[in-house]
Amino acid sequence: MKKGRWLVSFGLLAAAAAGPAAAQDQGLYLGGSVGYSQFKDSCKQLPVPCEGEDTAVRAFGGYQFNRYVAVEGGFANLGKATGAGSLGPGAQGSFQREVKEAWDLTAVFGIPVTDQLSALVRGGMYRARTTLNVQQTGFPDTHDAGTNSGFNYGAGAEFRLGHIGVRAEWQRWENVGVGSTGEDDIDVFSVGLIIRF
């Protein structure tokens, strides 16, 4: 969490330093992104082969107060971690932890590099629903789900060409899940397209 606070603090300082020159580029925007997610710990303790990476997609919209500060909300499918394999003679097991409903609200701070290119840092909150499915020979299947809130932060870059923008970004979702489904940090690496109005 210290990393998230550092990113947000850095963004606030950059916005404050902008001064009166920040009175530009106001308005609404919409966008979408696609990339891949990494579940950091879901596979570490499993006794079967496990894949902790999956496709992630996100739709978002926001309001740009000026070139330096925006508020953005989004809805994402963060994908799943899955595992399956042998647990011994005649025994099989499978595991799936999935987060396909995740809402976030963040402040996005831009640090101009050139007229068209800006570095980005973001920080805020999320609310996500996690589902867990476990099957094991000789035991009842486990199906569970839970919703929790937590911190969301990230960094990246955006290139603007008129009303169109292209982003490349890393975003961290901290401690996604509840006690019955287990918790995990999820990293998302994505590219996105933005249309400004």
Side-chain angles (χ1 to χ4, degrees):
M1 189 49 216
K2 290 182 179 179
K3 184 188 293 183
R5 290 174 180 169
W6 182 88
L7 287 172
V8 173
S9 298
F10 182 72
L12 288 170
L13 288 173
Q24 59 178 339
D25 298 339
Q26 292 183 343
L28 296 170
Y29 63 88
L30 296 174
S33 62
V34 62
Y36 73 96
S37 58
Q38 291 182 338
F39 287 70
K40 305 300 289 183
D41 298 316
S42 292
C43 292
K44 288 184 177 179
Q45 304 300 323
L46 290 184
V48 296
C50 182
E51 176 58 63
E53 295 185 0
D54 198 14
T55 301
V57 295
R58 179 173 177 261
F60 57 88
Y63 186 82
Q64 191 82 38
F65 295 99
N66 48 59
R67 190 175 179 184
Y68 307 90
V69 182
V71 173
E72 183 176 298
F75 176 77
N77 181 337
L78 302 180
K80 57 186 178 293
T82 57
S86 175
L87 296 172
Q92 296 288 319
S94 66
F95 162 91
Q96 178 177 287
R97 176 180 286 141
E98 185 173 22
V99 184
K100 62 180 181 180
E101 299 176 17
W103 299 89
D104 68 276
L105 181 64
T106 57
V108 182
F109 304 100
I111 301 100
V113 178
T114 69
D115 288 342
Q116 295 176 301
L117 179 65
S118 294
L120 302 176
V121 294
R122 70 164 67 236
M125 301 289 294
Y126 73 81
R127 187 161 180 81
R129 181 170 177 80
T130 303
T131 59
L132 177 69
N133 295 289
V134 179
Q135 295 178 315
Q136 186 174 342
T137 303
F139 293 89
D141 294 350
T142 298
H143 305 287
D144 212 335
T147 301
N148 78 298
S149 300
F151 294 103
N152 180 309
Y153 52 88
E158 180 181 335
F159 182 81
R160 297 189 188 186
L161 189 60
H163 292 286
I164 304 297
V166 178
R167 279 185 189 172
E169 192 169 11
W170 158 77
Q171 201 166 352
R172 163 67 62 88
W173 306 68
E174 278 199 342
N175 300 322
V176 180
V178 296
S180 59
T181 64
E183 297 180 353
D184 202 354
D185 294 339
I186 303 174
D187 287 335
V188 176
F189 302 87
S190 65
V191 293
L193 184 67
I194 300 171
I195 299 175
R196 300 182 182 277
F197 301 96

